[in-house]
C-alpha cells in the first residue's frame, strides 16, 4: 500500500511539472495561438517570427506559406468544411480580400491611426495594406547592356531581339502576376497578351527566372522588385531593377483577420494587436528590411537599393481590384489563349 501511495505521489508531481511546462512554467496560462497564412517568402517570414516573438511573448504565432493560388485553393476547401486553419491572412493583392469580405469570412477592425496609411484600405476595416510590392523588369548588366533590353512593359512584349529570351511569373498561381496582367490588359488591351505570346515568353517561378537571368539564358525578366533587391543585398548580385517607363505595377498587399466563427483559434483580440503592430513604425521596419515598401506616409526609408516609394508612385499602372476579383477566371482564360502555361 505504501508503495502504491509513493508511486501515486510521484505521478502527481510529474503531472504538475508537465502542466507547468505546458503553461510556460510561470503559471501564466497557455499561450494564445494565432495562425497566419501568407504569400511572403519563407526567409522573410523567419525574420518576422523573431520580431513577433519579442513583441508578443504570450502569443504562439505560426505561419503557413504559399503562393496566392495555393492559399486560395486551401482556403476554399476549408470554407467548405466550415472552419479555416488560420486566424489571419497576409496575401499578395486586395482582390482576394474583396472576395473574402463578400463571403463574410472577415472580421472588421478599425485601426487606431488610419490616417498614417498612404494607400487605400477598406473603410469598414476588413482589410488594410501591410506592404507594397512592385512588379518591375530586371536584367543582368554582366551579360547585356541596358540599351539592349526593354525599358517598358510594352517593349518587353514587343522588342524583337528579346524573343525567346524573357520570362514572367504565372498569373494562375501568383497574385502579383494576376494583378499585373489585369493592369496590362486595361492599359494595352488584348494585344498585351498576344504580344507576350509572340515573344514566346515562358511562365515560371521567380527563382527559376532569376537563375536564368544570372546565367544569361534570359536577357530580361518580369519580376517582383523585392526578389532582385534581396539578391543584391544578400549575395552582392549585379542584377539590376528597371522601373518601367510606362509604369510600375504597384500592389498594396492586405492583412486581414478571419471572423471568430470561422477562425482556427478564435483569438480575435490578439489578431487586432498583431495588425496594429504590422502597421506601426516598428512593424513597417520589419517589412522594409524584407525588401518591401512601407505603407505609412511617415516612414522615411525605402528597401535596400530601391528608389523612394513616393517616386515609384508617380508612375504606376493602375489595377482595377474589383475586375481582378470578378473577372479573374475570364482574364486567366484569355491570357492562356495567347500565352502557353505549362501545368505542373
Amino acid at each position: 500500500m505504501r508503495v502504491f501511495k509513493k508511486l501515486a505521489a510521484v505521478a502527481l508531481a510529474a503531472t504538475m511539472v508537465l502542466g507547468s511546462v505546458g503553461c510556460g512554467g510561470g503559471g501564466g496560462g497557455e499561450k494564445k495561438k494565432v495562425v497566419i497564412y501568407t504569400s511572403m517568402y519563407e526567409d522573410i517570414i523567419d525574420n518576422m517570427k523573431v520580431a513577433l516573438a519579442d513583441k508578443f511573448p504570450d502569443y504562439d504565432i505560426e505561419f503557413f506559406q504559399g503562393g496566392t493560388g495555393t492559399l486560395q485553393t486551401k482556403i476554399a476547401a476549408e470554407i467548405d468544411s466550415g472552419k479555416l486553419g488560420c486566424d489571419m491572412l497576409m496575401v499578395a493583392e486586395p482582390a482576394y480580400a474583396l472576395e473574402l469580405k463578400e463571403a463574410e469570412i472577415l472580421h472588421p477592425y478599425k485601426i487606431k491611426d488610419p490616417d498614417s496609411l498612404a494607400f487605400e484600405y477598406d473603410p469598414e476595416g476588413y482589410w488594410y495594406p501591410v506592404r507594397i510590392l512592385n512588379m518591375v523588369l530586371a536584367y543582368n548588366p554582366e551579360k547585356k547592356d541596358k540599351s539592349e533590353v526593354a525599358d517598358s512593359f510594352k517593349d518587353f512584349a514587343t522588342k524583337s531581339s528579346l524573343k525567346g529570351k524573357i520570362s514572367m511569373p504565372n498569373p494562375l498561381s501568383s497574385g502579383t502576376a494576376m494583378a499585373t496582367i489585369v493592369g496590362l490588359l486595361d492599359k494595352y488591351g488584348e494585344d498585351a497578351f498576344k504580344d507576350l505570346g509572340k515573344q514566346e515568353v515562358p511562365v515560371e517561378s521567380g527563382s527559376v527566372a532569376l537563375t536564368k537571368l544570372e546565367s544569361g539564358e534570359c536577357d530580361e525578366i518580369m519580376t517582383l522588385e523585392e526578389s532582385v533587391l534581396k539578391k543584391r543585398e544578400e549575395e552582392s548580385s549585379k542584377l539590376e531593377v528597371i522601373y518601367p517607363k510606362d509604369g510600375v505595377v504597384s500592389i498594396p498587399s492586405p492583412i486581414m483577420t478571419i471572423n471568430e466563427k470561422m477562425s482556427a483559434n478564435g483569438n480575435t483580440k490578439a489578431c487586432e494587436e498583431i495588425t496594429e503592430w504590422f502597421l506601426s513604425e516598428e512593424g513597417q521596419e520589419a517589412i522594409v528590411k524584407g525588401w518591401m515598401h512601407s505603407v505609412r506616409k511617415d516612414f522615411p526609408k525605402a528597401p535596400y537599393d530601391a528608389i523612394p516609394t513616393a517616386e515609384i508612385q508617380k508612375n504606376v499602372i493602375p489595377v482595377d481590384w474589383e475586375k481582378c476579383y470578378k473577372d479573374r477566371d475570364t482574364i486567366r482564360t484569355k491570357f492562356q489563349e495567347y500565352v502557353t502555361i505549362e501545368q505542373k
Side-chain angles (χ1 to χ4, degrees):
M1 188 67 174
R2 279 185 205 160
V3 172
F4 177 78
K5 286 181 179 180
K6 190 171 182 180
L7 288 173
V10 169
L12 178 60
T15 301
M16 291 175 69
V17 169
L18 288 171
S20 68
V21 170
C23 296
E30 290 186 12
K31 289 186 175 185
K32 291 181 179 179
K33 188 171 184 178
V34 174
V35 177
I36 304 174
Y37 288 176
T38 184
S39 58
M40 288 193 299
Y41 296 143
E42 289 187 12
D43 50 353
I44 296 173
I45 293 170
D46 289 340
N47 293 334
M48 293 286 184
K49 285 179 182 177
V50 174
L52 286 165
D54 288 342
K55 182 68 178 178
F56 301 107
D58 296 330
Y59 297 164
D60 178 13
I61 302 171
E62 294 183 4
F63 286 87
F64 174 86
Q65 194 276 340
T68 297
T70 299
L71 295 179
Q72 287 174 339
T73 301
K74 181 176 177 62
I75 290 168
E78 291 175 348
I79 288 173
D80 289 341
S81 74
K83 179 76 75 171
L84 270 62
C86 65
D87 305 284
M88 301 181 73
L89 286 167
M90 294 173 67
V91 295
E93 39 77 25
Y96 193 45
L98 301 183
E99 181 176 349
L100 293 176
K101 177 185 176 181
E102 189 174 285
E104 300 183 347
I105 300 298
L106 303 180
H107 164 74
Y109 169 66
K110 299 290 185 72
I111 63 171
K112 294 174 183 175
D113 188 17
D115 290 340
S116 67
L117 299 178
F119 298 87
E120 63 181 303
Y121 59 90
D122 183 76
E124 297 175 275
Y126 284 96
W127 62 268
Y128 296 95
V130 72
R131 56 195 172 121
I132 300 299
L133 310 179
N134 295 304
M135 190 66 77
V136 296
L137 301 173
Y139 81 109
N140 185 347
E142 295 184 319
K143 302 291 184 180
K144 287 288 176 179
D145 187 82
K146 194 172 184 178
S147 64
E148 298 179 278
V149 297
D151 61 1
S152 68
F153 285 119
K154 178 69 173 175
D155 285 350
F156 180 78
T158 57
K159 193 166 186 171
S160 59
S161 61
L162 293 174
K163 183 176 180 178
K165 300 286 285 181
I166 58 176
S167 174
M168 69 173 290
N170 189 347
L172 302 190
S173 58
S174 163
T176 50
M178 180 64 198
T180 300
I181 69 167
V182 171
L184 292 175
L185 179 64
D186 282 346
K187 189 171 182 69
Y188 294 117
E190 288 186 20
D191 283 347
F193 298 170
K194 293 176 183 178
D195 290 340
L196 286 167
K198 291 174 184 175
Q199 287 285 69
E200 299 176 0
V201 58
V203 176
E204 53 201 354
S205 73
S207 59
V208 170
L210 287 165
T211 299
K212 287 184 174 182
L213 193 60
E214 289 183 314
S215 69
E217 187 176 346
C218 272
D219 290 345
E220 190 169 19
I221 64 172
M222 181 191 300
T223 189
L224 285 175
E225 175 195 37
E226 65 195 81
S227 302
V228 181
L229 302 182
K230 180 178 184 295
K231 289 188 78 68
R232 287 179 64 85
E233 183 171 15
E234 291 191 337
E235 303 174 24
S236 298
S237 172
K238 300 301 183 184
L239 300 185
E240 288 190 10
V241 170
I242 294 175
Y243 297 94
K245 67 179 184 181
D246 50 356
V248 169
V249 180
S250 191
I251 303 158
S253 299
I255 186 168
M256 303 165 267
T257 295
I258 306 302
N259 69 41
E260 200 149 311
K261 181 180 71 174
M262 294 290 290
S263 70
N265 299 289
N267 290 320
T268 304
K269 184 67 175 174
C271 295
E272 293 174 353
E273 292 177 10
I274 292 168
T275 298
E276 289 282 1
W277 179 83
F278 267 111
L279 299 178
S280 71
E281 290 186 26
E282 183 182 353
Q284 290 294 290
E285 184 75 34
I287 290 290
V288 171
K289 283 182 179 177
W291 306 281
M292 300 168 286
H293 288 256
S294 173
V295 298
R296 290 182 64 95
K297 294 175 183 175
D298 59 356
F299 199 84
K301 293 185 288 187
Y304 176 86
D305 261 4
I307 67 174
T309 308
E311 188 175 335
I312 291 174
Q313 294 304 312
K314 289 177 183 176
N315 185 27
V316 298
I317 294 176
V319 179
D320 183 336
W321 300 115
E322 191 77 22
K323 184 176 183 177
C324 199
Y325 157 37
K326 298 288 187 180
D327 299 339
R328 180 189 300 141
D329 292 340
T330 301
I331 294 170
R332 283 173 171 171
T333 299
K334 182 64 66 176
F335 181 82
Q336 287 182 280
E337 283 184 25
Y338 302 109
V339 182
T340 301
I341 297 178
E342 292 186 14
Q343 303 293 342
K344 294 181 179 180

